[in-house]
């Protein structure tokens, strides 16, 4: 359940890398091995859980007795609650329990701020851009001290990862579990809203400058901006006038 190797063991080099999600081809092979065939809804389900091996396995087992179309309809309402099979409740039959075990590891129990940071990252559908980390460190200095150390801790616990496009990301099942069981706290939501309002409020008398700013800073985070502003309006994270002005700037 982490990227660190156990200490006091003479591991050979190069050591095994941390386990990663399955490729799409491998995920569909896994599905086939369990319930014989897959269809378009099977592919949607596999994609929705980011090809996490346990999630794919649990879904495929459910597909032995339910159609993948029915499972997809259930997924849209139940999400990670769907990912359980019959039998004793444990980390191999229920994904929520498996995620909970990771969140309750001794490391994270000693560093509760890491869970707070994980909630922030889970509120960003694209993840946290590596280039924006200095801005976040400053903005959350009093709410999440040791911001960078907390990122490293979450990476060591395999709860976040650095994607190829340099975003700190969370796998879909973990993000959905966090949103359901550890929603982002109000002060954090307000600070996040402020950050994204500031991101879209660039004004210049020169169109070329504004276009360049949008290309460099707005375009890479279109989904983050949209979701944060919508969520902020739904939760009154900032005064509505402030949010509407940001929405107007973003639209322009």
């Amino acid at each position: 359940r982490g990227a660190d190797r156990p200490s006091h063991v003479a591991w050979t080099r190069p050591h095994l890398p941390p386990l990663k999600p399955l490729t799409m081809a491998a995920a569909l092979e896994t599905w086939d091995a369990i319930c014989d065939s897959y269809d378009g809804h099977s592919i949607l389900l596999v994609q929705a859980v980011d090809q996490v091996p346990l999630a794919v396995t649990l879904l495929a087992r459910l597909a032995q007795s339910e159609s993948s179309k029915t499972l997809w309809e259930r997924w849209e309402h139940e999400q990670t609650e769907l990912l359980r099979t019959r039998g004793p409740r444990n980390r191999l039959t229920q994904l929520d329990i498996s995620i909970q075990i990771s969140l309750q590891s001794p490391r994270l129990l000693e560093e509760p701020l890491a869970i707070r940071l994980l909630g922030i990252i889970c509120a960003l559908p694209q993840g946290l851009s590596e280039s924006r980390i200095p801005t976040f460190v400053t903005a959350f200095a009093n709410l999440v001290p040791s911001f960078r150390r907390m990122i490293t801790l979450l990476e060591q616990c395999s709860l976040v990862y650095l994607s190829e496009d340099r975003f700190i990301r969370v796998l879909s099942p973990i993000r959905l579990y966090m949103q359901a069981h550890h929603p982002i706290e109000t002060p954090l939501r307000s600070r996040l809203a402020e950050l994204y309002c500031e991101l879209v409020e660039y004004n210049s008398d020169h169109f070329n400058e504004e276009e360049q700013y949008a290309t460099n800073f707005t375009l890479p985070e279109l989904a983050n901006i949209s979701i944060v502003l919508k969520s902020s309006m739904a939760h009154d994270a900032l005064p509505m006038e402030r949010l509407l002005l940001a929405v107007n700037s973003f639209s322009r």
Side-chain angles (χ1 to χ4, degrees), residues 204-233:
S204 173
D205 294 330
H206 303 285
F207 175 77
N208 289 341
E209 291 179 3
E210 200 162 36
E211 185 179 32
Q212 188 63 46
Y213 177 86
T215 301
N216 293 339
F217 299 102
T218 309
L219 188 61
E221 292 203 68
L222 288 180
N224 281 347
I225 296 166
S226 179
I227 291 297
V228 169
L229 292 180
K230 286 179 182 177
S231 174
S232 300
M233 288 166 49

Side-chain angles (χ1 to χ4, degrees), residues 31 106 169 171 185 240 243 245 248:
W31 187 287
R169 288 206 167 103
L171 292 169
E185 301 165 31
M240 189 58 69
L243 292 169
L245 287 171
N248 186 60

Side-chain angles (χ1 to χ4, degrees), residues 46-101:
V46 167
Q47 291 173 330
V49 297
D50 282 347
Q51 293 101 258
V52 171
L54 178 59
V56 172
T57 301
L58 294 177
L59 284 168
R61 286 179 185 167
L62 291 170
Q64 290 175 321
S65 56
E66 295 183 58
S67 72
S68 56
K69 181 177 185 295
T70 300
L71 287 176
W72 175 250
E73 291 170 352
R74 287 183 60 193
W75 168 261
E76 292 183 306
H77 292 93
E78 300 175 40
Q79 297 188 327
T80 58
E81 288 290 319
L82 171 65
L83 300 176
R84 62 179 71 187
T85 57
R86 290 188 297 273
R89 296 175 69 252
N90 59 51
R91 63 183 176 81
L92 298 179
T93 61
Q94 187 170 336
L95 187 65
D96 281 3
I97 291 177
S98 184
I99 295 171
Q100 187 178 13
I101 288 172

Side-chain angles (χ1 to χ4, degrees), residues 234-251:
H235 292 86
D236 296 324
L238 291 176
M240 189 58 69
E241 182 180 1
R242 174 88 164 93
L243 292 169
L244 290 174
L245 287 171
V247 169
N248 186 60
S249 294
F250 180 45
S251 301

Side-chain angles (χ1 to χ4, degrees), residues 150-169:
M150 294 300 109
I151 289 178
T152 300
L153 176 59
L154 291 172
E155 287 176 327
Q156 290 170 339
C157 293
S158 292
L159 289 167
V160 303
Y161 66 98
L162 182 63
S163 63
E164 292 182 1
D165 56 354
R166 313 305 294 179
F167 275 77
I168 306 293
R169 288 206 167 103

